[in-house]
Amino acid sequence: MKFRKPKELVAEALVRTGVKRPKLLFQPGRGDFFNRIAYRLVKGDYGVVRAEELGEEIRPGKVVEECGGLKLLAFRGAVEADAAVVRRPGTVDLSGVKLSYPDFAVDLSLFSELLPQERKSLAVQLEIAYGTVKDFFTPENFFLTGVTPEARRFLGEFFSPRVPFPVLGSLEGYDTVIVLDPSGEEEFTHEEVTPNTLIVVGGIVDSSKRLEGSTRRIIPEAFHRRITYKGIVELVPDRINEIIKIVCDYLTSDSSLYEAVRRNLTRDSKLHFMRRLVQNSIVRFRYRGELLRGIPYDLYRKWKEELSLTDFYFRKAARHVGGFFVFRPSIFDKVTGRERVRGKEVFVLKELNDEDVVVRYP
């Protein structure tokens, strides 16, 4: 199923009560501060007080976010506020807002196999992933699982004086447990997710592909589902926080999984994909005794447009194959024969004209 963020539910509830322009009487925090504030409003840590009930003047502010017909104000501006968000219980009743979401867990059962630098990177990714879950859902929806004594000691030192996220002691009570696994037989879909689902991401930070394929060892009895872009695993970012962001985005939008992946592509994931694409799509030609490498124009145009790739990505990919050029189909009209070099097919050209070449990447 799909979910609505806390801020969407809170904004809708406030508009129903007649509050449309509340102003923060404190500095906004980091991340999606409206979503984080909405959670604390529902929990009762913060409150909303109407302007006429506050007992003091609310200075005009500027709109810092709009959501569901509500304009959230902060700082100084020209927009008149009709209520205030304060750090105490308020007078506007939000008890009817219910927040029910799936849980996320990062599994640390493979922690002993990580190198020292990878462990530090893991801790950083955990902290960012926790913030991501707070930006989409609530801080109550993030856990660690499979925590070994070694992992617990490391986290205790890294996050001293207190590890900010709880450890999930048992998987009992969940209707469904889904492990995100690049080698999973089926793709991840929101249709398998309910508020009583646990989504598990492997705590794998692998700088040299030592642990490739090890995700299948995590909770083997659970459903293992893969995230791809139209069947392509290489395009999916591999950092823990980036994977969780894709899933959160997908579960809180009308988009397909592919669209969510494309929205959250990173530079590294694009570069990784481009290297694989060029390596696997190279067509070899021999012209005047020189071996040339090329890729078809249709393939080049498809990915350049679909992923908004700039020449930067093609130049980087070219370094891994010794350069290549992009050719039009007309180049095959100049082929006079074929040969095999080290098991690879090579087309022999009688000529190579400028109109056959779209661009070169040395």
Side-chain angles (χ1 to χ4, degrees), residues 98-271:
K98 305 300 180 185
L99 305 179
S100 185
Y101 300 111
D103 287 337
F104 290 79
V106 177
D107 183 87
L108 301 188
S109 58
L110 301 176
F111 184 83
S112 63
E113 301 180 42
L114 301 183
L115 302 175
Q117 192 57 40
E118 293 171 343
R119 295 180 178 188
K120 293 179 181 178
S121 179
L122 169 64
V124 172
Q125 291 180 41
L126 287 176
E127 189 170 29
I128 299 173
Y130 181 43
T132 297
V133 173
K134 290 193 287 187
D135 286 342
F136 283 88
F137 299 120
T138 83
E140 297 176 5
N141 298 118
F142 185 85
F143 298 91
L144 302 179
T145 189
V147 181
T148 63
E150 185 180 15
R152 193 183 296 271
R153 286 193 298 272
F154 173 83
L155 294 176
E157 294 172 359
F158 189 92
F159 291 106
S160 180
R162 184 183 67 86
V163 179
F165 12 81
V167 175
L168 194 61
S170 171
L171 304 183
E172 294 182 5
Y174 288 105
D175 294 336
T176 310
V177 177
I178 299 174
V179 176
L180 300 180
D181 181 355
S183 61
E185 293 184 359
E186 298 181 33
E187 287 215 345
F188 178 78
T189 172
H190 70 88
E191 295 175 356
E192 291 187 303
V193 179
T194 71
N196 201 32
T197 295
L198 177 66
I199 301 170
V200 181
V201 180
I204 300 173
V205 180
D206 189 356
S207 58
S208 57
K209 302 295 182 183
R210 303 183 324 281
L211 302 177
E212 191 169 15
S214 59
T215 313
R216 62 174 63 95
R217 292 154 50 189
I218 297 173
I219 318 177
E221 68 275 15
F223 294 120
H224 282 232
R225 300 291 184 255
R226 67 180 185 272
I227 296 178
T228 72
Y229 179 76
K230 298 182 178 181
I232 302 170
V233 174
E234 289 83 7
L235 258 176
V236 180
D238 59 3
R239 287 174 63 91
I240 296 164
N241 53 287
E242 292 162 353
I243 294 171
I244 288 179
K245 185 178 180 182
I246 288 172
V247 175
C248 290
D249 185 1
Y250 170 57
L251 293 178
T252 56
S253 70
D254 294 329
S255 303
S256 67
L257 179 60
Y258 303 152
E259 291 169 325
V261 171
R262 182 165 57 185
R263 265 198 305 273
N264 293 282
L265 289 178
T266 64
R267 182 177 120 159
D268 285 346
S269 65
K270 289 182 180 181
L271 286 172

Side-chain angles (χ1 to χ4, degrees), residues 30-72:
R30 60 182 179 178
D32 189 333
F33 57 85
F34 190 10
N35 204 68
R36 300 185 184 194
I37 289 169
Y39 161 71
R40 300 191 70 170
L41 286 170
V42 173
K43 192 175 179 182
D45 297 336
Y46 294 167
V48 176
V49 182
R50 300 178 193 275
E52 62 270 20
E53 300 171 334
L54 188 61
E56 60 182 273
E57 180 185 3
I58 305 175
R59 294 181 179 178
K62 71 175 183 178
V63 178
V64 292
E65 183 159 355
E66 296 187 47
C67 181
L70 181 140
K71 295 181 178 180
L72 183 65

Side-chain angles (χ1 to χ4, degrees), residues 281-283 294-301 325-328 332:
S281 305
I282 283 292
V283 180
I295 62 171
Y297 175 58
D298 288 347
L299 185 69
Y300 167 80
R301 182 178 60 183
F325 66 98
V326 179
F327 61 83
R328 300 186 190 276
F332 290 102

